Amino acid sequence: MPFMPVKFNLQKRVKLAQGLWMIYWLSVIVGILIFSLGIFFKIELRKRSEMMDNNESHLVPNLLILVGLLACGVSAFGGKVCHDSLDPVKFAKWKPMLKPYLLLCCGFNALMLLTVLLCFLMQFAVYLTLAEGLKNSIKFYKDTDTPGRCFMKRTLDMTQIEFRCCGNNNFRDWFEVQWISNRYLDMSNDLVKDRVLSNVEGKYLMDSVPFSCCNPGSPRPCIQHHLTNNSAHYDYDHRIEELNIWTRGCREALFSYFSNMMNSIGMLIIATIILESADMAGLKYLTTALETMEDPENPECESEGWLLEKSVKETFSEMLAKMKTLGASNQVEGGDAAEAAT
Amino acid sequence: MVLLKIKFTQQRRVHLAQGLWLLSWMAVMWGAIIFCLGVYLKTELLRRDEVMDNTEIHVVPNILMMVGLASIGTNWVASRVCQDSMDATRFPRWKVLLLVWFAVAAVLCCLLIAVVVLSFALQGRLEESLKVGLRNGIRFYKDTDVPGRCFQKETIDRLQMEFRCCGNNNFKDWFEVQWVSSRYLNFTSKEVKDRIRSNVDGRYLLDGIPFSCCNPSSPRPCLLYHLTDNNAHYSYDYHSEELNVYSRGCRQALTDYYMQLMNSTGPGVLSVILIQISVLLSMRYLQTAMEGAMGLEDPEGESEGYLLEKGVKETFEDLKVNALTMLKFGQVDPNDTEGSSEAAEKDASPTPAS
């Protein structure tokens, strides 16, 4: 008893072949889209790699690039088979390759499912990497004379300007590190000496933020220094002042950017899985319909197409039996040889 | 004396029609590209509308958009004519339209050349417009409480950060205006009172700049105030400090940006001009060859195609005479009747002799 049989006459077969051909080419375009999204994601990760201490994981974009290429290849092959399917001579040469091809498609769908899972789960890894990386970036902001870290200041400034954020969790992260290099501090000045002596590690700490934290939308020229001192500025109350500097932290800003990207890519891959499954089902129907033609010489005859030759349960038990035979084949042969000997 | 005569066999005519059909579809595509370029340029100009004083420069993208649309229509008509050209019954109905078509195509080519010339010629006007616009922007920077100017500060800040520039000509433009609103000045403070009294207009001027002028590439945290005072900052020399703020003026930055944008459309426009001219010439050859072929007894035989029926000078004079005839429509008739009566007399006189 075949699983989900459908009767096909010539017209239906032709329509199925044409429709399937178009869907395969749509899959090729979607494959190209996934490939380019993978490259885009990889480039974005590289751009922000300094914020993530250069140890971000490139597993997801690499997998996306692979999936995109495979989707193109698999769908192009499927489209070619569809194109040749209505010509019995050409179809005959594709026939032996169909079973391995369908198995390959199943494996490909499993790979895409894995990619979707990774897209959603790796966001946690990105969050943790960002937290660690931004903490270090803020620490090394002042080291513009240390080789390997010269551009940390510029990168962090540009990131804060672009993503409209300040600090790791919020702007107070800047109060806890020395972000002015000692080269620009007059160590003979009393004020400087007081500040340096005021903490255990001898860091020049102050309640100020870099200029890149400033919000251009503020009606007032940016107040960068003495942020917690209301009397340092005219008509200023640091508890109600909201527009002066960005209130959002860069970890949250960067994470929401990457998380949106990864979510949309995940959605696209789910749509691709559905598309590929439809492709596989269509191809199975087409090939079975062509195989079961009673009279191969007469193209107008009716035929039947199905998804599985027997019902789901029977196919499953057959597969299990096959695997058991494969596994027990050594023992069976050994038993036979022993019996033959005796 | 025919200009640039070429012999056409039936096969050559068919090839010409097919080639012209392909060429006209390519021209349609290029017309669409020109339209999109025009739209993009206009959008970019509109984005920075607030720092421009006048909209004279908008004539370049407007012409590009118009020409793009007209080119799409014209070349689509050309492809229809090609399709009908092989059919002797359908081709004659295009005869009158073709004259109009040639005129329109010629006008399009001229407009495209004008666009290229304009995009260079208007550079001076663009700079002037930006100069006035930026000057006003810097003057009204502090007026974040005046309706209509509330967002001037944000616009100028974002502009300076995006284009990496400061002020109109350079950062010293900020020293000449009061860019801190009086709402945030403590008028009881001695320092504020001194500064206000130090100039005739009673403005709070300082040698400081807004934060958006800061250059992130500077190794040192940005210095915003007391820029001309070397003693105000440790290890600071006003004359040798280069990286602290952006040294380029915003007028120069914006002009460079727009000039680059318009120059990059140059090759596209030039190739459209070339394609349009080749479509025009091929259409003329096709028209004359088909008309020649239809005049023959054997429509499949050889015919001649040419650009102009007479030489350039003669065609020009013909056109002049036609134009003058149309203009002097009223005056020609009395001369004709006089001339015809004279001719009748002349005709009458020799006959008795013969």
Side-chain angles (χ1 to χ4, degrees):
Chain A
M1 237 298 288
F3 181 63
M4 287 178 56
V6 175
K7 285 234 175 284
F8 283 99
N9 56 17
L10 175 71
Q11 229 191 0
K12 265 181 136 181
R13 277 198 297 270
V14 169
K15 275 211 178 121
L16 177 63
Q18 285 172 338
L20 201 57
W21 183 82
M22 282 210 297
I23 296 182
Y24 266 120
W25 279 108
L26 182 66
S27 307
V28 171
I29 292 173
V30 170
I32 293 175
L33 185 65
I34 295 177
F35 175 74
S36 15
L37 277 175
I39 294 203
F40 171 68
F41 191 27
K42 199 167 173 79
I43 293 176
E44 280 296 307
L45 277 178
R46 274 228 187 279
K47 264 166 74 175
R48 321 280 171 207
S49 66
E50 263 194 284
M51 299 288 108
M52 299 200 245
D53 257 352
N54 289 328
N55 62 8
E56 75 277 11
S57 163
H58 279 256
L59 176 65
V60 174
N62 289 342
L63 209 54
L64 281 174
I65 291 172
L66 180 69
V67 162
L69 287 173
L70 275 179
C72 281
V74 161
S75 304
F77 180 79
K80 184 82 175 85
V81 169
C82 278
H83 191 255
D84 289 347
S85 62
L86 293 171
D87 181 356
V89 175
K90 286 192 193 164
F91 187 62
K93 67 174 179 179
W94 294 120
K95 253 193 185 171
M97 296 194 232
L98 281 174
K99 196 143 188 261
Y101 174 69
L102 282 172
L103 284 172
L104 178 69
C105 281
C106 279
F108 179 58
N109 273 356
L111 179 67
M112 281 205 284
L113 205 61
L114 176 70
T115 312
V116 170
L117 280 171
L118 278 176
C119 265
F120 290 121
L121 293 176
M122 287 293 277
Q123 292 179 24
F124 294 111
V126 168
Y127 187 80
L128 293 170
T129 327
L130 271 174
E132 191 61 32
L134 278 169
K135 204 167 73 176
N136 287 337
S137 296
I138 292 175
K139 228 181 8 162
F140 301 142
Y141 183 84
K142 67 177 179 4
D143 296 335
T144 45
D145 53 348
T146 312
R149 293 190 209 145
C150 322
F151 294 112
M152 189 60 90
K153 176 183 179 294
R154 190 178 73 160
T155 313
L156 192 53
D157 278 334
M158 300 299 281
T159 306
Q160 291 192 147
I161 290 175
E162 193 182 329
F163 284 88
R164 306 183 186 195
C165 59
C166 188
N168 200 343
N169 299 305
N170 54 38
F171 63 90
R172 285 174 209 276
D173 298 318
W174 289 106
F175 297 175
E176 295 158 18
V177 295
Q178 176 180 349
W179 55 272
I180 298 188
S181 175
N182 283 336
R183 301 195 315 276
Y184 308 115
L185 290 172
D186 182 8
M187 292 302 182
S188 55
N189 186 321
D190 280 335
L191 259 167
V192 176
K193 280 195 275 198
D194 279 341
R195 280 194 190 266
V196 170
L197 290 169
S198 73
N199 65 88
V200 184
E201 293 150 39
K203 291 191 287 188
Y204 181 79
L205 302 177
M206 39 177 199
D207 52 350
S208 311
V209 292
F211 78 94
S212 44
C213 282
C214 285
N215 181 357
S218 163
R220 173 175 204 155
C222 188
I223 296 173
Q224 275 182 265
H225 304 284
H226 307 296
L227 282 169
T228 49
N229 184 2
N230 283 353
S231 42
H233 315 279
Y234 181 68
D235 193 17
Y236 174 68
D237 182 355
H238 76 271
R239 288 191 191 86
I240 50 175
E241 187 66 52
E242 282 176 340
L243 284 174
N244 187 40
I245 50 177
W246 302 117
T247 43
R248 195 164 68 151
C250 285
R251 182 181 41 191
E252 189 197 323
L254 279 166
F255 175 65
S256 87
Y257 173 70
F258 279 119
S259 134
N260 283 343
M261 210 192 304
M262 287 167 100
N263 283 342
S264 352
I265 293 179
M267 290 292 149
L268 180 67
I269 307 251
I270 289 180
T272 315
I273 292 178
I274 295 176
L275 192 66
E276 282 290 326
S277 313
D279 280 340
M280 274 170 60
L283 190 67
K284 184 70 175 168
Y285 271 124
L286 185 65
T287 47
T288 46
L290 286 171
E291 279 166 12
T292 58
M293 288 203 300
E294 294 118 18
D295 182 8
E297 303 299 312
N298 174 19
E300 307 252 339
C301 68
E302 279 211 353
S303 61
E304 206 186 16
W306 56 72
L307 278 181
L308 294 170
E309 205 166 342
K310 305 185 181 129
S311 69
V312 186
K313 247 176 146 184
E314 285 174 27
T315 322
F316 213 51
S317 45
E318 260 190 37
M319 262 179 23
L320 278 175
K322 257 196 203 160
M323 288 206 295
K324 277 193 198 151
T325 357
L326 276 174
S329 63
N330 285 341
Q331 295 171 13
V332 168
E333 281 184 288
D336 274 346
E339 275 181 33
T342 51
Chain B
M1 227 291 288
V2 178
L3 188 70
L4 292 180
K5 204 167 52 174
I6 300 182
K7 284 216 178 295
F8 282 101
T9 57
Q10 173 70 354
Q11 218 191 16
R12 264 180 134 186
R13 282 198 292 274
V14 171
H15 283 323
L16 178 64
Q18 287 171 339
L20 185 56
W21 186 83
L22 276 174
L23 200 62
S24 52
W25 275 110
M26 206 166 76
V28 168
M29 198 185 71
W30 273 108
I33 290 178
I34 290 285
F35 176 73
C36 294
L37 276 175
V39 168
Y40 176 63
L41 191 59
K42 184 129 184 122
T43 328
E44 282 296 306
L45 282 171
L46 283 174
R47 265 173 76 187
R48 309 290 166 196
D49 203 27
E50 288 184 38
V51 294
M52 289 199 218
D53 187 45
N54 59 39
T55 51
E56 277 176 22
I57 190 74
H58 283 249
V59 75
V60 172
N62 287 346
I63 294 184
L64 275 177
M65 288 197 289
M66 214 171 61
V67 166
L69 285 175
S71 162
I72 289 176
T74 316
N75 291 310
W76 180 79
V77 165
S79 72
R80 296 285 312 169
V81 171
C82 284
Q83 271 180 316
D84 284 349
S85 63
M86 289 292 112
D87 186 350
T89 51
R90 293 206 292 201
F91 189 65
R93 71 176 177 179
W94 290 110
K95 221 177 162 179
V96 177
L97 196 64
L98 270 178
L99 289 170
V100 177
W101 186 91
F102 282 123
V104 169
V107 164
L108 279 181
C109 289
C110 294
L111 277 176
L112 281 169
I113 297 176
V115 156
V116 175
V117 168
L118 271 176
S119 66
F120 286 111
L122 286 175
Q123 182 177 349
R125 301 292 302 155
L126 176 68
E127 272 203 62
E128 271 303 308
S129 163
L130 281 170
K131 186 163 148 186
V132 175
L134 281 168
R135 199 175 60 207
N136 287 339
I138 291 174
R139 250 190 323 165
F140 304 141
Y141 183 85
K142 64 177 180 1
D143 295 334
T144 45
D145 52 347
V146 175
R149 292 189 207 149
C150 322
F151 295 110
Q152 200 75 287
K153 176 183 179 294
E154 192 174 349
T155 310
I156 297 282
D157 277 336
R158 288 207 190 283
L159 187 78
Q160 292 191 143
M161 286 199 287
E162 193 179 323
F163 285 89
R164 303 182 190 205
C165 58
C166 188
N168 204 338
N169 301 307
N170 54 38
F171 64 91
K172 296 192 194 144
D173 296 319
W174 289 106
F175 297 175
E176 295 159 16
V177 296
Q178 176 181 349
W179 56 271
V180 183
S181 174
S182 300
R183 302 194 319 274
Y184 308 116
L185 293 173
N186 182 6
F187 285 99
T188 56
S189 149
K190 184 174 178 303
E191 190 233 336
V192 176
K193 281 195 274 195
D194 279 343
R195 281 195 188 270
I196 287 181
R197 286 196 211 124
S198 73
N199 65 89
V200 183
D201 304 313
R203 292 181 290 170
Y204 181 79
L205 303 177
L206 63 156
D207 52 349
I209 48 167
F211 77 93
S212 43
C213 280
C214 284
N215 185 354
S217 307
S218 165
R220 171 176 205 153
C222 191
L223 301 168
L224 292 178
Y225 299 103
H226 307 294
L227 283 175
T228 49
D229 184 3
N230 283 353
N231 297 328
H233 315 279
Y234 182 66
S235 176
Y236 174 67
D237 184 5
Y238 163 59
H239 297 287
S240 60
E241 187 65 49
E242 282 175 340
L243 282 174
N244 188 40
V245 299
Y246 293 124
S247 45
R248 198 163 64 148
C250 285
R251 180 167 49 116
Q252 189 60 44
L254 280 167
T255 310
D256 284 346
Y257 173 68
Y258 282 120
M259 279 301 121
Q260 200 189 26
L261 207 58
M262 286 198 266
N263 286 346
S264 61
T265 62
V269 172
L270 282 173
S271 36
V272 170
I273 294 175
L274 283 173
I275 290 181
Q276 192 68 53
I277 290 180
S278 37
V279 169
L280 193 96
L281 293 175
S282 316
M283 181 61 90
R284 178 65 180 162
Y285 272 122
L286 185 68
Q287 178 201 27
T288 45
M290 289 310 294
E291 280 175 0
M294 279 183 240
L296 297 172
E297 307 97 47
D298 172 25
E300 309 250 327
E302 266 200 13
S303 68
E304 273 178 10
Y306 46 79
L307 280 181
L308 291 171
E309 203 166 347
K310 304 171 187 150
V312 183
K313 245 179 151 183
E314 292 169 16
T315 321
F316 211 53
E317 286 187 23
D318 268 351
L319 279 174
K320 236 181 11 182
V321 165
N322 281 344
L324 286 172
T325 334
M326 278 201 283
L327 286 172
K328 289 193 200 162
F329 190 77
Q331 296 170 19
V332 171
D333 284 328
N335 287 341
D336 262 345
T337 48
E338 271 183 43
S340 60
S341 54
E342 278 177 25
E345 279 178 39
K346 280 191 187 152
D347 277 336
S349 44
T351 39
S354 64

